[in-house]
DNA sequence: GCCAATTGCGCAATTC
DNA sequence: TGAATTGCGCAATTGG
Protein backbone atom coordinates (compact mmCIF):
# COMPACT_ATOMS: atom_id res chain seq x y z
CA UNK A 1 0.00 0.00 0.00
CA UNK A 2 1.18 3.36 0.88
CA UNK A 3 4.04 1.82 2.66
CA UNK A 4 6.30 2.07 -0.29
CA UNK A 5 6.66 5.72 0.06
CA UNK A 6 7.78 5.22 3.57
CA UNK A 7 10.76 3.13 2.77
CA UNK A 8 13.71 5.32 2.53
CA UNK A 9 16.76 5.09 0.45
CA UNK A 10 18.76 3.19 2.96
CA UNK A 11 16.37 0.35 2.81
CA UNK A 12 16.39 0.39 -0.89
CA UNK A 13 20.12 0.16 -0.99
CA UNK A 14 20.14 -2.51 1.59
CA UNK A 15 17.77 -4.62 -0.35
CA UNK A 16 19.83 -4.43 -3.46
CA UNK A 17 22.74 -5.38 -1.37
CA UNK A 18 21.39 -8.86 -0.85
CA UNK A 19 20.81 -10.25 -4.27
CA UNK A 20 19.95 -13.70 -3.24
CA UNK A 21 20.47 -14.56 0.33
CA UNK A 22 23.33 -16.63 1.50
CA UNK A 23 23.83 -19.82 -0.32
CA UNK A 24 23.72 -22.26 2.41
CA UNK A 25 25.22 -24.95 0.37
CA UNK A 26 26.11 -28.11 1.85
CA UNK A 27 29.44 -27.22 3.00
CA UNK A 28 32.14 -29.31 1.74
CA UNK A 29 34.96 -29.23 4.10
CA UNK A 30 36.25 -32.33 5.51
CA UNK A 31 36.80 -31.51 9.04
CA UNK A 32 39.48 -34.02 9.28
CA UNK A 33 40.91 -35.08 12.55
CA UNK A 34 44.23 -33.44 12.66
CA UNK A 35 44.62 -31.39 15.67
CA UNK A 36 41.36 -32.37 17.02
CA UNK A 37 42.28 -30.00 19.67
CA UNK A 38 40.19 -30.80 22.52
CA UNK A 39 42.01 -28.13 24.18
CA UNK A 40 40.42 -28.67 27.42
CA UNK A 41 38.83 -25.66 28.82
CA UNK A 42 35.42 -25.36 27.59
CA UNK A 43 34.27 -21.96 26.94
CA UNK A 44 30.87 -20.81 26.44
CA UNK A 45 29.08 -19.88 23.31
CA UNK A 46 25.84 -21.43 22.67
CA UNK A 47 25.72 -23.84 19.82
CA UNK A 48 22.96 -21.77 18.50
CA UNK A 49 25.36 -19.15 17.45
CA UNK A 50 27.18 -21.47 15.26
CA UNK A 51 24.23 -22.57 13.40
CA UNK A 52 23.06 -19.30 12.30
CA UNK A 53 26.59 -18.41 11.68
CA UNK A 54 27.51 -21.06 9.27
CA UNK A 55 24.27 -20.55 7.59
CA UNK A 56 24.42 -16.97 6.87
CA UNK A 57 28.02 -16.72 6.16
CA UNK A 58 27.85 -19.69 4.04
CA UNK A 59 30.24 -22.49 4.15
CA UNK A 60 33.19 -22.19 6.13
CA UNK A 61 35.75 -23.28 3.80
CA UNK A 62 39.27 -24.27 3.44
CA UNK A 63 41.18 -21.95 5.61
CA UNK A 64 41.97 -23.59 8.86
CA UNK A 65 40.53 -26.93 8.52
CA UNK A 66 40.59 -27.76 12.09
CA UNK A 67 39.08 -24.50 12.91
CA UNK A 68 36.02 -25.52 11.09
CA UNK A 69 35.31 -28.34 13.36
CA UNK A 70 35.95 -26.14 16.26
CA UNK A 71 33.63 -23.53 15.06
CA UNK A 72 30.99 -26.00 14.21
CA UNK A 73 31.12 -26.98 17.77
CA UNK A 74 30.83 -23.50 18.90
CA UNK A 75 34.22 -23.66 20.32
CA UNK A 76 36.00 -20.89 18.73
CA UNK A 77 39.04 -19.10 19.66
CA UNK A 78 40.53 -21.68 21.88
CA UNK A 79 44.11 -22.28 22.60
CA UNK A 80 44.35 -24.60 19.72
CA UNK A 81 47.81 -25.74 19.17
CA UNK A 82 48.89 -25.36 15.68
CA UNK A 83 48.33 -28.26 13.37
CA UNK A 84 51.85 -29.11 12.45
CA UNK A 85 53.80 -27.93 15.31
CA UNK A 86 53.80 -25.15 17.68
CA UNK A 87 56.10 -22.56 16.47
CA UNK A 88 58.43 -23.56 13.91
CA UNK A 89 57.97 -23.23 10.29
CA UNK A 90 54.68 -22.83 8.67
CA UNK A 91 52.56 -23.61 11.54
CA UNK A 92 49.18 -22.39 10.63
CA UNK A 93 49.17 -20.93 7.28
CA UNK A 94 51.91 -18.68 6.33
CA UNK A 95 54.81 -20.66 5.24
CA UNK A 96 55.09 -19.10 2.03
CA UNK A 97 58.05 -20.42 0.46
CA UNK A 98 57.97 -24.03 0.79
CA UNK A 99 54.69 -24.39 -0.90
CA UNK A 100 51.07 -24.57 -0.51
CA UNK A 101 51.18 -28.13 0.32
CA UNK A 102 51.41 -28.59 3.95
CA UNK A 103 48.77 -26.30 5.17
CA UNK A 104 45.81 -27.86 3.68
CA UNK A 105 45.56 -31.54 3.92
CA UNK A 106 48.62 -31.88 5.92
CA UNK A 107 49.72 -35.15 4.58
CA UNK A 108 52.77 -35.11 6.70
CA UNK A 109 51.29 -37.23 9.40
CA UNK A 110 51.26 -40.13 7.07
CA UNK A 111 53.81 -39.72 4.42
CA UNK A 112 56.40 -37.66 6.04
CA UNK A 113 58.19 -39.43 8.79
CA UNK A 114 60.36 -36.54 9.61
CA UNK A 115 59.38 -33.10 8.78
CA UNK A 116 57.60 -31.87 5.82
CA UNK A 117 59.43 -32.29 2.65
CA UNK A 118 58.21 -29.38 0.74
CA UNK A 119 60.46 -30.40 -1.89
CA UNK A 120 58.86 -32.02 -4.77
CA UNK A 121 56.40 -29.25 -5.00
CA UNK A 122 56.07 -27.77 -8.33
CA UNK A 123 57.02 -24.49 -7.09
CA UNK A 124 55.16 -21.63 -8.35
CA UNK A 125 58.02 -20.17 -6.57
CA UNK A 126 57.22 -17.02 -4.85
CA UNK A 127 59.76 -15.45 -7.00
CA UNK A 128 57.82 -16.12 -10.05
CA UNK A 129 56.58 -12.98 -11.62
CA UNK A 130 53.39 -14.80 -12.21
CA UNK A 131 53.06 -15.66 -8.59
CA UNK A 132 53.45 -12.07 -7.60
CA UNK A 133 50.95 -11.14 -10.21
CA UNK A 134 48.40 -13.53 -8.87
CA UNK A 135 49.01 -12.45 -5.36
CA UNK A 136 48.65 -8.85 -6.19
CA UNK A 137 45.45 -9.43 -8.03
CA UNK A 138 44.07 -11.46 -5.21
CA UNK A 139 45.04 -8.84 -2.72
CA UNK A 140 43.12 -6.31 -4.69
CA UNK A 141 40.14 -8.59 -4.86
CA UNK A 142 40.32 -9.16 -1.17
CA UNK A 143 40.39 -5.50 -0.40
CA UNK A 144 37.52 -4.94 -2.71
CA UNK A 145 35.53 -7.74 -1.21
CA UNK A 146 36.09 -6.54 2.30
CA UNK A 147 35.15 -3.07 1.35
CA UNK A 148 31.94 -4.38 0.01
CA UNK A 149 31.30 -6.38 3.11
CA UNK A 150 31.88 -3.38 5.28
CA UNK A 151 29.44 -1.34 3.30
CA UNK A 152 26.91 -4.09 3.42
CA UNK A 153 27.15 -4.35 7.15
CA UNK A 154 26.81 -0.66 7.47
CA UNK A 155 23.72 -0.65 5.36
CA UNK A 156 22.20 -3.37 7.40
CA UNK A 157 22.79 -1.42 10.54
CA UNK A 158 21.30 1.69 9.10
CA UNK A 159 18.40 -0.24 7.81
CA UNK A 160 17.78 -1.73 11.20
CA UNK A 161 17.85 1.63 12.86
CA UNK A 162 15.57 3.08 10.31
CA UNK A 163 13.11 0.27 10.62
CA UNK A 164 13.14 0.69 14.32
CA UNK A 165 12.31 4.34 13.99
CA UNK A 166 9.58 3.61 11.58
CA UNK A 167 8.30 1.02 13.90
CA UNK A 168 7.96 3.44 16.72
CA UNK A 169 6.07 5.81 14.54
CA UNK A 170 3.75 3.10 13.46
CA UNK A 171 3.16 2.08 17.01
CA UNK A 172 2.34 5.59 17.85
CA UNK A 173 -0.02 5.84 15.01
CA UNK A 174 -1.73 2.71 16.17
CA UNK A 175 -2.06 4.20 19.58
CA UNK A 176 -3.75 7.26 18.16
CA UNK A 177 -6.09 5.32 16.00
CA UNK A 178 -6.98 3.02 18.80
CA UNK A 179 -7.80 5.86 21.08
CA UNK A 180 -9.84 7.61 18.45
CA UNK A 181 -11.69 4.43 17.83
CA UNK A 182 -12.41 3.99 21.49
CA UNK A 183 -13.76 7.45 21.65
CA UNK A 184 -16.08 6.95 18.78
CA UNK A 185 -17.21 3.66 20.13
CA UNK A 186 -17.93 5.25 23.40
CA UNK A 187 -19.90 7.97 21.76
CA UNK A 188 -21.87 5.54 19.73
CA UNK A 189 -22.51 3.47 22.75
CA UNK A 190 -23.87 6.45 24.60
CA UNK A 191 -25.98 7.51 21.72
CA UNK A 192 -27.32 4.10 21.48
CA UNK A 193 -28.13 4.09 25.10
CA UNK A 194 -29.76 7.47 24.83
CA UNK A 195 -31.71 6.40 21.87
CA UNK A 196 -32.88 3.39 23.68
CA UNK A 197 -33.88 5.32 26.70
CA UNK A 198 -35.55 8.13 24.80
CA UNK A 199 -36.74 5.82 22.25
CA UNK A 200 -35.93 8.74 20.13
CA UNK A 201 -32.76 9.55 18.28
CA UNK A 202 -29.79 11.17 19.68
CA UNK A 203 -27.01 11.90 17.29
CA UNK A 204 -23.80 13.67 17.53
CA UNK A 205 -22.00 15.97 15.28
CA UNK A 206 -18.95 14.01 15.68
CA UNK B 1 10.33 2.31 27.07
CA UNK B 2 6.96 0.88 26.83
CA UNK B 3 7.86 -0.97 23.77
CA UNK B 4 9.83 -3.51 25.64
CA UNK B 5 7.18 -6.08 25.61
CA UNK B 6 7.00 -5.84 21.91
CA UNK B 7 10.62 -6.28 21.19
CA UNK B 8 11.51 -9.83 20.62
CA UNK B 9 14.49 -11.70 21.78
CA UNK B 10 16.57 -11.10 18.74
CA UNK B 11 16.28 -7.44 19.21
CA UNK B 12 17.16 -7.72 22.80
CA UNK B 13 20.29 -9.56 21.98
CA UNK B 14 21.13 -7.16 19.29
CA UNK B 15 20.84 -4.25 21.58
CA UNK B 16 23.12 -5.72 24.13
CA UNK B 17 25.50 -6.35 21.37
CA UNK B 18 26.11 -2.68 20.89
CA UNK B 19 27.23 -1.44 24.24
CA UNK B 20 28.03 1.95 23.03
CA UNK B 21 27.68 2.51 19.39
CA UNK B 22 30.70 2.63 17.21
CA UNK B 23 33.24 4.63 18.98
CA UNK B 24 34.01 7.14 16.41
CA UNK B 25 36.99 8.03 18.30
CA UNK B 26 39.33 10.40 16.97
CA UNK B 27 38.99 7.81 14.37
CA UNK B 28 41.99 6.18 13.22
CA UNK B 29 41.28 5.17 9.80
CA UNK B 30 38.49 4.01 7.73
CA UNK B 31 35.73 5.03 9.98
CA UNK B 32 33.40 5.87 7.24
CA UNK B 33 32.44 3.89 4.25
CA UNK B 34 33.43 6.63 1.97
CA UNK B 35 35.54 4.90 -0.48
CA UNK B 36 34.90 7.99 -2.34
CA UNK B 37 38.14 7.19 -3.82
CA UNK B 38 38.69 9.59 -6.55
CA UNK B 39 40.00 6.63 -8.27
CA UNK B 40 41.13 8.73 -11.12
CA UNK B 41 44.69 7.90 -11.33
CA UNK B 42 47.13 8.31 -8.61
CA UNK B 43 46.89 4.93 -7.03
CA UNK B 44 50.53 4.12 -6.85
CA UNK B 45 51.89 5.17 -3.60
CA UNK B 46 54.47 7.76 -3.32
CA UNK B 47 57.75 6.73 -1.92
CA UNK B 48 56.75 8.80 0.99
CA UNK B 49 54.69 5.96 2.20
CA UNK B 50 57.74 3.99 2.72
CA UNK B 51 58.77 6.25 5.45
CA UNK B 52 55.94 5.60 7.74
CA UNK B 53 56.50 2.06 6.97
CA UNK B 54 59.90 1.43 8.29
CA UNK B 55 59.25 3.69 11.16
CA UNK B 56 56.28 2.41 12.84
CA UNK B 57 57.30 0.21 15.57
CA UNK B 58 58.96 -2.90 16.54
CA UNK B 59 59.18 -5.53 13.98
CA UNK B 60 57.86 -4.16 10.92
CA UNK B 61 56.72 -6.91 8.95
CA UNK B 62 56.50 -5.10 5.82
CA UNK B 63 52.89 -5.96 5.69
CA UNK B 64 50.61 -3.31 4.51
CA UNK B 65 51.76 -0.38 6.42
CA UNK B 66 51.43 1.80 3.42
CA UNK B 67 47.89 0.76 3.18
CA UNK B 68 47.11 2.98 6.02
CA UNK B 69 47.89 6.04 4.07
CA UNK B 70 45.82 4.82 1.24
CA UNK B 71 42.86 4.15 3.35
CA UNK B 72 43.13 7.43 5.03
CA UNK B 73 42.62 8.82 1.65
CA UNK B 74 39.70 6.64 1.03
CA UNK B 75 41.49 4.92 -1.72
CA UNK B 76 40.81 1.33 -1.24
CA UNK B 77 41.67 -1.63 -3.19
CA UNK B 78 43.81 -0.07 -5.80
CA UNK B 79 46.73 -1.50 -7.59
CA UNK B 80 49.28 -0.31 -5.15
CA UNK B 81 52.70 -1.61 -5.78
CA UNK B 82 54.21 -3.55 -3.02
CA UNK B 83 56.41 -1.75 -0.59
CA UNK B 84 59.69 -3.32 -1.16
CA UNK B 85 59.52 -4.39 -4.63
CA UNK B 86 57.22 -6.18 -6.78
CA UNK B 87 58.15 -9.74 -6.80
CA UNK B 88 61.04 -10.70 -4.80
CA UNK B 89 60.62 -13.27 -2.18
CA UNK B 90 59.09 -12.47 1.09
CA UNK B 91 58.40 -9.17 -0.34
CA UNK B 92 55.39 -8.04 1.47
CA UNK B 93 54.46 -9.57 4.64
CA UNK B 94 54.11 -13.15 4.96
CA UNK B 95 57.30 -14.49 5.94
CA UNK B 96 55.83 -15.50 9.09
CA UNK B 97 57.40 -18.41 10.48
CA UNK B 98 59.71 -19.85 8.03
CA UNK B 99 62.40 -17.99 9.63
CA UNK B 100 62.51 -14.80 11.15
CA UNK B 101 65.43 -14.26 9.12
CA UNK B 102 64.52 -12.71 5.99
CA UNK B 103 61.88 -10.32 6.95
CA UNK B 104 62.93 -8.76 10.00
CA UNK B 105 66.58 -8.51 10.18
CA UNK B 106 66.99 -9.08 6.60
CA UNK B 107 70.69 -9.09 6.44
CA UNK B 108 70.56 -8.49 2.83
CA UNK B 109 70.87 -4.81 3.47
CA UNK B 110 74.51 -5.42 3.35
CA UNK B 111 74.09 -6.28 -0.16
CA UNK B 112 71.67 -3.59 -0.86
CA UNK B 113 73.34 -0.32 -0.23
CA UNK B 114 70.38 1.74 -1.16
CA UNK B 115 67.75 0.22 1.01
CA UNK B 116 67.29 1.08 4.59
CA UNK B 117 68.69 -1.12 7.20
CA UNK B 118 65.86 -2.01 9.47
CA UNK B 119 68.49 -3.19 11.76
CA UNK B 120 68.52 -1.50 15.06
CA UNK B 121 65.23 -3.11 15.73
CA UNK B 122 64.61 -4.21 19.22
CA UNK B 123 64.89 -7.85 18.72
CA UNK B 124 61.87 -9.55 20.01
CA UNK B 125 63.15 -12.18 17.80
CA UNK B 126 60.49 -14.46 16.59
CA UNK B 127 62.26 -17.21 18.34
CA UNK B 128 61.66 -15.78 21.68
CA UNK B 129 59.31 -17.86 23.67
CA UNK B 130 57.76 -14.66 24.77
CA UNK B 131 57.16 -13.62 21.24
CA UNK B 132 55.38 -16.84 20.48
CA UNK B 133 53.41 -16.48 23.61
CA UNK B 134 52.26 -13.05 22.70
CA UNK B 135 51.42 -14.13 19.21
CA UNK B 136 49.42 -17.05 20.36
CA UNK B 137 47.50 -14.98 22.80
CA UNK B 138 46.80 -12.40 20.20
CA UNK B 139 45.69 -15.02 17.75
CA UNK B 140 43.22 -16.27 20.24
CA UNK B 141 42.01 -12.79 20.91
CA UNK B 142 41.64 -12.19 17.24
CA UNK B 143 39.58 -15.28 16.73
CA UNK B 144 37.45 -14.37 19.64
CA UNK B 145 36.94 -10.87 18.41
CA UNK B 146 36.03 -11.98 14.94
CA UNK B 147 33.63 -14.50 16.27
CA UNK B 148 31.98 -11.81 18.20
CA UNK B 149 31.82 -9.58 15.19
CA UNK B 150 30.24 -12.31 13.14
CA UNK B 151 27.60 -12.89 15.72
CA UNK B 152 26.94 -9.23 15.96
CA UNK B 153 26.46 -8.92 12.26
CA UNK B 154 24.19 -11.85 12.25
CA UNK B 155 22.11 -10.41 15.00
CA UNK B 156 21.80 -7.20 13.15
CA UNK B 157 20.58 -9.00 10.10
CA UNK B 158 18.06 -10.96 12.05
CA UNK B 159 16.98 -7.87 13.82
CA UNK B 160 16.44 -6.08 10.56
CA UNK B 161 14.38 -8.89 9.17
CA UNK B 162 12.35 -9.12 12.28
CA UNK B 163 11.72 -5.43 12.36
CA UNK B 164 10.62 -5.56 8.79
CA UNK B 165 8.15 -8.26 9.56
CA UNK B 166 6.87 -6.42 12.54
CA UNK B 167 6.58 -3.38 10.42
CA UNK B 168 4.34 -5.09 7.96
CA UNK B 169 2.12 -6.31 10.70
CA UNK B 170 1.88 -2.87 12.16
CA UNK B 171 1.00 -1.41 8.82
CA UNK B 172 -1.69 -3.97 8.47
CA UNK B 173 -2.99 -3.19 11.85
CA UNK B 174 -3.10 0.46 10.95
CA UNK B 175 -5.04 -0.40 7.87
CA UNK B 176 -7.60 -2.28 9.90
CA UNK B 177 -7.98 0.42 12.47
CA UNK B 178 -8.30 3.06 9.84
CA UNK B 179 -11.00 1.19 8.10
CA UNK B 180 -12.84 0.51 11.28
CA UNK B 181 -12.59 4.14 12.14
CA UNK B 182 -13.96 5.15 8.81
CA UNK B 183 -16.86 2.85 9.28
CA UNK B 184 -17.72 4.24 12.65
CA UNK B 185 -17.37 7.74 11.40
CA UNK B 186 -19.66 6.96 8.60
CA UNK B 187 -22.23 5.54 10.93
CA UNK B 188 -22.03 8.49 13.21
CA UNK B 189 -22.25 10.82 10.34
CA UNK B 190 -25.42 9.15 9.17
CA UNK B 191 -27.01 9.23 12.54
CA UNK B 192 -26.07 12.80 12.87
CA UNK B 193 -27.72 13.54 9.66
CA UNK B 194 -30.78 11.76 10.86
CA UNK B 195 -30.74 13.64 14.09
CA UNK B 196 -30.34 16.90 12.25
CA UNK B 197 -33.19 16.12 10.01
CA UNK B 198 -35.28 15.22 12.98
CA UNK B 199 -34.38 18.50 14.50
CA UNK B 200 -33.04 16.70 17.43
CA UNK B 201 -30.03 17.88 19.33
CA UNK B 202 -26.85 16.09 18.90
CA UNK B 203 -24.04 16.67 21.29
CA UNK B 204 -20.96 14.84 21.87
CA UNK B 205 -19.98 13.66 25.17
CA UNK B 206 -16.45 13.78 26.08
C1' DG C 1 53.86 -0.81 30.82
C1' DC C 2 51.11 -4.94 30.11
C1' DC C 3 47.12 -7.10 28.19
C1' DA C 4 42.92 -7.93 25.67
C1' DA C 5 40.28 -6.22 21.82
C1' DT C 6 40.16 -4.27 17.19
C1' DT C 7 41.39 -3.67 12.71
C1' DG C 8 43.79 -3.65 8.14
C1' DC C 9 46.60 -6.58 5.47
C1' DG C 10 48.36 -10.35 2.81
C1' DC C 11 48.25 -15.42 2.06
C1' DA C 12 46.17 -19.60 0.53
C1' DA C 13 42.30 -22.53 -0.17
C1' DT C 14 37.98 -22.74 -2.11
C1' DT C 15 33.90 -21.24 -4.52
C1' DC C 16 31.71 -19.36 -8.48
C1' DT D 1 41.04 -19.04 -15.92
C1' DG D 2 40.12 -15.36 -12.96
C1' DA D 3 37.44 -12.77 -9.56
C1' DA D 4 35.15 -13.24 -5.02
C1' DT D 5 35.10 -15.17 -0.38
C1' DT D 6 36.75 -16.32 3.84
C1' DG D 7 39.58 -18.29 7.84
C1' DC D 8 44.04 -17.43 9.57
C1' DG D 9 48.04 -15.27 11.54
C1' DC D 10 50.78 -10.92 11.87
C1' DA D 11 51.42 -6.34 13.48
C1' DA D 12 49.79 -1.76 14.76
C1' DT D 13 46.49 0.48 17.63
C1' DT D 14 43.38 1.34 21.08
C1' DG D 15 41.08 1.01 25.51
C1' DG D 16 41.51 -0.62 30.27
Amino acid sequence: MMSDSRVSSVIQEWVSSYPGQPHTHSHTQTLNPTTSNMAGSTNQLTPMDMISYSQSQGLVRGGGEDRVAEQMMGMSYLPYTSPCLSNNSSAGSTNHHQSHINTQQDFSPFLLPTLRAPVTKRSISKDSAEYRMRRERNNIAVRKSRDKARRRILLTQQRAMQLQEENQKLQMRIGQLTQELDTLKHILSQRHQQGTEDGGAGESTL
Side-chain angles (χ1 to χ4, degrees), chain A:
Chain A
M1 294 295 111
M2 39 72 152
S3 59
D4 286 344
S5 57
R6 304 167 97 80
V7 194
S8 75
S9 57
V10 174
I11 310 268
Q12 297 292 358
E13 281 183 77
W14 184 83
V15 171
S16 64
S17 162
Y18 286 86
Q21 277 306 303
H23 294 300
T24 320
H25 295 286
S26 53
H27 22 282
T28 33
Q29 14 67 12
T30 50
L31 41 135
N32 54 30
T34 38
T35 55
S36 51
N37 160 16
M38 43 255 285
S41 63
T42 56
N43 118 0
Q44 59 293 30
L45 268 205
T46 61
M48 184 273 274
D49 297 305
M50 297 318 307
I51 303 169
S52 46
Y53 158 72
S54 61
Q55 277 196 330
S56 82
Q57 291 299 329
L59 47 163
V60 191
R61 114 183 66 2
E65 293 50 13
D66 334 54
R67 295 264 94 211
V68 175
E70 257 181 58
Q71 302 204 334
M72 292 288 277
M73 305 287 287
M75 338 178 23
S76 303
Y77 57 92
L78 288 185
Y80 154 68
T81 44
S82 58
C84 299
L85 22 71
S86 49
N87 61 33
N88 149 337
S89 66
S90 73
S93 45
T94 67
N95 63 273
H96 310 313
H97 281 230
Q98 41 228 295
S99 59
H100 33 9
I101 30 167
N102 67 24
T103 349
Q104 193 48 344
Q105 297 302 316
D106 192 294
F107 316 113
S108 45
F110 315 98
L111 308 175
L112 307 176
T114 47
L115 293 182
R116 72 326 175 59
V119 217
T120 76
K121 235 338 175 246
R122 57 187 71 329
S123 47
I124 308 288
S125 163
K126 319 285 195 189
D127 296 339
S128 157
E130 195 214 327
Y131 169 75
R132 267 334 303 173
M133 188 93 97
R134 284 165 178 278
R135 283 306 324 140
E136 194 52 39
R137 268 207 295 270
N138 177 247
N139 289 340
I140 292 173
V142 169
R143 294 196 285 264
K144 184 178 172 182
S145 179
R146 286 174 180 154
D147 239 46
K148 188 177 169 185
R150 271 190 286 271
R151 280 197 296 280
R152 190 150 41 77
I153 293 170
L154 204 68
L155 279 176
T156 303
Q157 287 182 8
Q158 297 182 324
R159 175 168 173 276
M161 289 196 290
Q162 201 176 314
L163 282 172
Q164 188 162 42
E165 252 180 76
E166 209 174 302
N167 235 326
Q168 293 189 324
K169 288 179 185 170
L170 292 178
Q171 305 235 16
M172 246 166 11
R173 180 77 181 123
I174 288 181
Q176 291 183 326
L177 292 177
T178 300
Q179 192 171 11
E180 202 173 331
L181 209 50
D182 282 348
T183 302
L184 286 192
K185 281 182 180 173
H186 185 248
I187 293 174
L188 271 178
S189 141
Q190 284 202 322
R191 289 294 154 76
H192 184 262
Q193 219 172 0
Q194 264 186 354
T196 302
E197 287 170 13
D198 298 357
E203 278 58 272
S204 74
T205 38
L206 205 183

